[in-house]
Amino acid sequence: MIIPDASTCRERPGSDAEADRRPVTRTASAPARRATLPRAAAFWLVAGVLFLLFFAAAAPSPLYGVYQAQWRFSAITLTAVFAAYALLLLVTLLVFGSVSDYLGRRRVILAGLAMTAGACGLFLAAHGVGLLFAARALHGAAVGTASSALGAALIDLQPEGSGRAPVATTTASLLGLAAGGLGASALVQYGPAPTHLIWWLLLGVSLAAAVAVRAMPETVPRRPGVLASLRPRVAVPRQARRTFGMVLPCLIAVWMISGFYLALGPSLAAQVLRSPDLLWGGLVIFLLAGTGAAASFAFRGVSGPAAMLAGCLALLAGAIVTLTALQTTSAAAFLTGTAVAGAGFGTAMLGAFRTVSARATPGQRASLIAAYFIVSYAAFSIPVVVAGVAITHFGLHRTALAYCTVIAVLAAVAAGSLISRRRSPGPAPNPAPAQAGAGCPGRASRRGRCARGGRTVRGTGSARRARRRGTE
């Protein structure tokens, strides 16, 4: 499943971002309307909601086998349930991904929490495949609605100069996946009412989170254009497109490994570890996402491209170790490969998120983050759907080997691309004489002057600034 460094997002006095923020500050400070959380508290509240969103996303993974045994449906049906979640998530991101830039972050986050609570209610009421489809579809819509608004809100609320938002976004989402997989597995294996208890708990927490979100300050003023923003499109701002294309191989590899473990991890754990205990499946998910969260925090001070490169190399190593473990059915190698891949997962995810979202202005944050998540969830879901179909023809073992091989190839391609970009020289600076001598046919001197008609003309202000930067 998703932010810029402070140095790239610091608003300067008189900027558009400063103008956008002033009405919001006046509204938030009005005591007559409602009590408002301080921005620091609101930041951690939004991070907590992101954690909850991904906790709920991972919670069904240990339950798929239980549902399949109870209701006796095929692997194809199980894949279709996962596809319903992925399809609604992607459609919702396409339609509503940038809507918080127009309606405000708080309203969109509340809508996502309401849909999460509704999905929990459908899981509680499910007694067959029909409501299981509906619950997963509504859950996908909840994640698609709230994820870009939550990511953008964290950027808006982070203290200026802290660079805290990318670390909080990556760590909260990965810890949510880790805790969701392990917690749901423990409740299903050892708790009462295995198909109901987790959903009652998530329903209560979602409603409590919605009450808390009502007290967060709004960071984006409402503005016209919301209906036009609902037209399905992937809106990558012009200044971010080159960076977005550079990040794509890394992004696809990272989210493919996430889908691999969330969809196939519990089944592979039972096969490799030779144990029917459902807790092993949750432990594998926890190992991947928990190691990823720890790695993203540990590398929080590293630049985006450097974090991506380190993550892709670790992901490649983890995929190779996992391939070996699947071939030899070695439990120790499988767990080791999962941990190494998790470190690469978290580090590369942090680097990709930081690199891409640093290219957005305040009014473009939700739309750019929505595009990021569209690619991410497509890489997360589409290969898993294909793998579900392949399992019915080739079996779990051979499908997992092929899936892991693709991840290793993608990680190698991404790492090679990043290394080549680091070695290639940057673009040559624009020659200062051409700027200084615009409209001046004579020779530009070292002081930024040119001869014209027996007199000297000073260079332009841009030339003088370039001279101060040492480019002349």
Side-chain angles (χ1 to χ4, degrees):
M1 324 169 108
I2 346 210
I3 298 195
D5 291 318
S7 61
T8 58
C9 285
R10 191 176 294 126
E11 288 96 355
R12 294 178 294 275
S15 66
D16 292 340
E18 187 74 19
D20 285 346
R21 201 185 325 196
R22 284 196 292 269
V24 180
T25 305
R26 290 197 297 269
T27 302
S29 62
R33 303 187 72 176
R34 68 172 183 277
T36 304
L37 289 172
R39 292 177 71 89
F43 178 90
W44 294 114
L45 171 63
V46 172
V49 173
L50 191 63
F51 170 89
L52 173 63
L53 194 73
F54 281 88
F55 185 107
S61 294
L63 283 164
Y64 285 143
V66 178
Y67 290 136
Q68 191 174 15
Q70 283 185 357
W71 300 332
R72 301 183 182 279
F73 53 80
S74 66
I76 293 290
T77 302
L78 185 60
T79 302
V81 171
F82 186 89
Y85 167 80
L87 177 63
L88 263 293
L89 193 156
L90 290 171
V91 169
T92 307
L93 269 174
L94 280 169
V95 177
F96 298 105
S98 61
V99 75
S100 74
D101 284 337
Y102 300 89
L103 293 182
R105 315 296 188 210
R106 188 175 58 242
R107 292 182 182 89
V108 179
I109 294 170
L110 284 171
L113 285 171
M115 286 187 279
T116 300
C120 293
L122 288 176
F123 274 116
L124 287 168
H127 295 288
V129 176
L131 281 182
L132 188 60
F133 269 105
R136 275 311 259 167
L138 184 58
H139 195 191
V143 175
T145 299
S147 55
S148 61
L150 288 165
L154 283 172
I155 307 176
D156 299 338
L157 292 166
Q158 72 176 347
E160 185 176 356
S162 69
R164 187 181 293 171
V167 181
T169 301
T170 306
T171 305
S173 57
L174 292 180
L175 283 178
L177 289 175
L182 186 62
S185 298
L187 290 175
V188 170
Q189 183 67 39
Y190 302 113
T195 59
H196 289 81
L197 180 58
I198 183 64
W199 303 120
W200 279 117
L201 293 173
L202 284 173
L203 176 60
V205 175
S206 298
L207 295 176
V211 173
V213 166
R214 286 182 57 83
M216 69 174 278
E218 182 53 79
T219 59
V220 173
R222 189 166 183 170
R223 59 190 175 100
V226 63
L227 292 179
S229 74
L230 300 180
R231 186 173 66 252
R233 68 189 188 277
V234 180
V236 178
R238 183 179 300 275
Q239 74 273 11
R241 290 174 187 171
R242 183 176 180 182
T243 302
F244 198 85
M246 180 265 290
V247 167
L248 275 180
C250 173
L251 199 58
I252 293 171
V254 161
W255 285 91
M256 275 189 71
I257 196 75
S258 174
F260 176 76
Y261 276 95
L262 282 176
L264 304 181
S267 300
L268 286 172
Q271 186 181 88
V272 175
L273 301 172
R274 300 181 181 90
S275 172
D277 194 328
L278 295 176
L279 190 62
W280 282 113
L283 185 62
V284 166
I285 296 173
F286 179 83
L287 192 59
L288 177 86
T291 307
S296 65
F297 183 79
F299 284 86
R300 64 190 182 278
V302 178
S303 69
M308 279 195 295
L309 177 57
C312 287
L313 292 174
L315 190 61
L316 174 60
I320 292 172
V321 174
T322 303
L323 270 171
T324 305
L326 293 175
Q327 280 286 74
T328 60
T329 62
S330 168
F334 181 68
L335 296 176
T336 301
T338 301
V340 174
F345 172 39
T347 307
M349 181 179 171
L350 171 65
F353 214 168
R354 172 173 283 166
T355 302
V356 168
S357 56
R359 306 296 298 170
T361 61
Q364 300 170 327
R365 283 173 181 162
S367 59
L368 178 58
I369 293 172
Y372 172 94
F373 277 124
I374 286 169
V375 174
S376 301
Y377 288 126
F380 169 83
S381 57
I382 294 174
V384 171
V385 173
V386 174
V389 176
I391 286 172
T392 62
H393 295 87
F394 306 106
L396 175 64
H397 181 74
R398 294 174 65 185
T399 301
L401 288 174
Y403 200 127
C404 212
T405 301
V406 172
I407 293 172
V409 171
L410 277 172
V413 169
S417 173
L418 289 165
I419 290 172
S420 66
R421 285 176 180 273
R422 287 168 68 92
R423 289 179 175 175
S424 61
N430 291 328
Q435 294 179 358
C440 181
R443 238 179 351 187
S445 74
R446 302 179 76 173
R447 292 175 178 247
R449 303 167 186 259
C450 65
R452 185 166 56 186
R455 60 188 178 92
T456 59
V457 180
R458 290 185 180 271
T460 63
S462 61
R464 290 195 295 273
R465 287 193 297 271
R467 186 161 60 248
R468 285 196 295 270
R469 291 196 302 267
T471 56
E472 290 191 36

